[in-house]
Amino acid sequence: MAQVHPSSVVEPGATLGEGVRIGPFCTVGADVVLGDGCELISHVAVAGRTTIGPRAKIFPFASVGHQPQDLKYHGEPSVLTIGADCTIREGVTMNPGTEGGGLATTVGDRCTFLAGSHVAHDCKVGNQVIFSNNVMLAGHCSVGDFAILGGGAAVHQFCRIGAHAFIGGLSGVENDVIPYGIAIGNRAHLAGLNIVGLKRRGFSREVIHDIRRAYRLLFADEGTLQERVEDVAGEFATHPVVHEILDFIREGGNRSICTPRDAHEG
């Protein structure tokens, strides 16, 4: 059912779905599951308790499922789960979870990871996320659906990147980025809303106008952020998109919320 090049090694116990194609000089571990139609082009190493969904395409020299880069890891039975229709380009590295993070790293469907990007242990990556070249996602991070991370961006451990957010290239992100936000710089600051992304994904002019107004209110100078969140919640009581941003802020995490740069800063 699967096509395996004679130079590749597939350990006994590996599960290969219908139509899997494994090119030359690949290695597939005993606990790996490759879904129907997966393709490993060449020189791909898939190890550990890794499950890859249907129709994933993995390019040369990707390392998927090997031991986490965490000195606290001591061989616990953690997993890496990757969804359907993902593209994993050259030199990408993805690690399974650790005991300190729930023993699981997960990646959603239809994600694209360009050359040299990295998904560390215990991360949660949503659906249709794009990592440009050399993006570095540290451990315990979460990335929402449709987020885009520009080339060379680095995300601090335990950070949250909201759905539909955009991270500029070479940004150093050390705080949580709200859904629909744009973060740029080192260290990154909030630089507005991802209007281009919203338009491309079919958000109406009225919804975009409401998000803009909510954004201005949330990051005004008056009051505390908590007070402004409650004010915006009252004004947009029945607006699901605005409440997605508010819920993200209320949920909180290990990092602070990324905010706009002070007007008095250079």
Side-chain angles (χ1 to χ4, degrees):
M1 302 292 286
Q3 301 176 29
V4 181
H5 192 277
S7 65
S8 290
V9 176
V10 178
E11 294 183 11
T15 301
L16 307 184
E18 183 175 352
V20 166
R21 290 180 292 172
I22 299 176
F25 304 107
C26 297
T27 60
V28 178
D31 296 314
V32 170
V33 177
L34 300 181
D36 295 347
C38 282
E39 180 179 6
L40 279 55
I41 291 179
S42 75
H43 300 83
V44 175
V46 187
R49 296 168 178 82
T50 297
T51 299
I52 301 176
R55 299 173 300 280
K57 191 170 186 178
I58 308 180
F59 285 72
F61 305 106
S63 171
V64 180
H66 289 84
Q67 178 174 327
Q69 298 178 88
D70 184 340
L71 298 180
K72 299 185 297 298
Y73 179 76
H74 297 294
E76 54 265 31
S78 59
V79 300
L80 168 63
T81 304
I82 299 170
D85 300 295
C86 288
T87 299
I88 300 172
R89 295 299 307 240
E90 296 84 353
V92 169
T93 52
M94 296 184 176
N95 297 149
T98 65
E99 187 175 15
L103 295 172
T105 301
T106 60
V107 173
D109 299 332
R110 301 179 298 283
C111 293
T112 300
F113 299 90
L114 298 188
S117 54
H118 174 63
V119 178
H121 57 90
D122 304 297
C123 287
K124 314 296 180 190
V125 178
N127 300 311
Q128 293 185 243
V129 171
I130 298 174
F131 280 29
S132 296
N133 297 67
N134 301 312
V135 166
M136 297 172 285
L137 191 66
H140 307 277
C141 292
S142 65
V143 181
D145 297 345
F146 300 102
I148 298 175
L149 282 70
V155 183
H156 192 285
Q157 58 263 36
F158 293 99
C159 276
R160 299 178 299 148
I161 308 297
H164 299 270
F166 183 91
I167 309 301
L170 299 177
S171 295
V173 181
E174 61 180 358
N175 293 314
D176 295 345
V177 179
I178 61 169
Y180 310 98
I182 291 179
I184 60 173
N186 182 17
R187 295 299 198 225
H189 64 277
L190 200 60
L193 293 168
N194 185 15
I195 301 300
V196 172
L198 291 170
K199 290 178 178 177
R200 286 176 177 171
R201 296 184 189 107
F203 285 79
S204 69
R205 177 180 293 183
E206 292 76 16
V207 169
I208 293 174
H209 175 79
D210 288 341
I211 299 172
R212 274 177 156 162
R213 174 165 169 73
Y215 177 90
R216 288 194 296 268
L217 293 172
L218 279 170
F219 298 104
D221 291 333
E222 298 80 12
T224 66
L225 179 58
Q226 182 177 352
E227 291 170 341
R228 296 193 297 269
V229 164
E230 298 311 315
D231 290 343
V232 172
E235 181 162 346
F236 295 90
T238 60
H239 201 295
V241 177
V242 172
H243 274 269
E244 186 178 346
I245 299 173
L246 300 179
D247 291 344
F248 181 91
I249 295 172
R250 284 168 169 159
E251 180 183 349
N254 294 83
R255 311 298 298 173
S256 300
I257 294 293
C258 187
T259 58
R261 177 177 289 167
D262 191 300
H264 300 292
E265 294 183 16

